[in-house]
Amino acid sequence: MDQSQVFRLYPKSSNRITENYSLLLLANVDSDNGTAKLWFERYIYLHLDKEGHMLGISISESLLYKHANSGVQYLTGVDMIKIILMYKDEITAFCEMYSLEFQTMFGLCPTDYFEFAAPLWAEYVNALN
């Protein structure tokens, strides 16, 4: 898959995160003259390994500030799922702008993917609380 604004392939891992891919789940969007321009005051990146397993998410400082109880910008496990669930509707709307890329990776359009995944994730979070 070609590099894009929302999907990135990393040929080797960084020092902090050992992912092969990252997918931008949420960013600020400015529609100017009919084209969408991304800016990154608020963002969520999903990090995946080469098999497509979710490793964690990176969140912007503004989201970290809003959810200060996490204390770190890179979240995994239940903390990752909680943030994704909090922003599910915004993430879905953002990912719909890149529906073809998303569908290539996950096999479903963003709306269907998050509609099916959210109840399972919520059940998982509730079981651990």
Side-chain angles (χ1 to χ4, degrees):
M1 181 177 287
D2 294 334
Q3 297 283 78
S4 73
Q5 287 188 24
V6 296
F7 177 79
R8 302 250 193 259
L9 171 63
Y10 294 93
K12 47 186 169 171
S13 5
S14 67
N15 292 338
R16 292 183 18 217
I17 305 169
T18 56
E19 83 275 358
N20 292 68
Y21 306 97
S22 72
L23 177 68
L24 183 60
L25 294 180
L26 183 65
N28 304 86
V29 179
D30 223 355
S31 294
D32 196 23
N33 298 329
T35 59
K37 223 179 204 179
L38 301 180
W39 50 290
F40 298 92
E41 179 187 341
R42 292 175 65 236
Y43 66 78
I44 300 173
Y45 275 99
L46 173 64
H47 302 283
L48 307 152
D49 67 13
K50 63 184 176 185
E51 286 85 29
H53 300 118
M54 297 186 338
L55 299 173
I57 59 172
S58 295
I59 62 173
S60 63
E61 286 186 17
S62 63
L63 291 180
L64 175 63
Y65 178 74
K66 194 170 186 176
H67 306 286
N69 59 340
S70 67
V72 294
Q73 285 183 268
Y74 184 76
L75 305 168
T76 60
V78 173
D79 293 331
M80 168 185 68
I81 299 300
K82 285 179 180 178
I83 295 291
I84 291 173
L85 287 171
M86 276 185 224
Y87 291 94
K88 178 186 79 72
D89 293 338
E90 287 181 72
I91 290 170
T92 300
F94 179 83
C95 290
E96 279 296 340
M97 295 186 325
Y98 303 95
S99 187
L100 291 176
E101 284 182 81
F102 190 96
Q103 192 163 350
T104 299
M105 289 185 66
F106 295 102
L108 294 169
C109 70
T111 300
D112 290 344
Y113 179 85
F114 288 107
E115 182 180 319
F116 293 126
L120 298 173
W121 290 337
E123 187 177 308
Y124 170 73
V125 168
N126 289 335
L128 294 176
N129 284 335

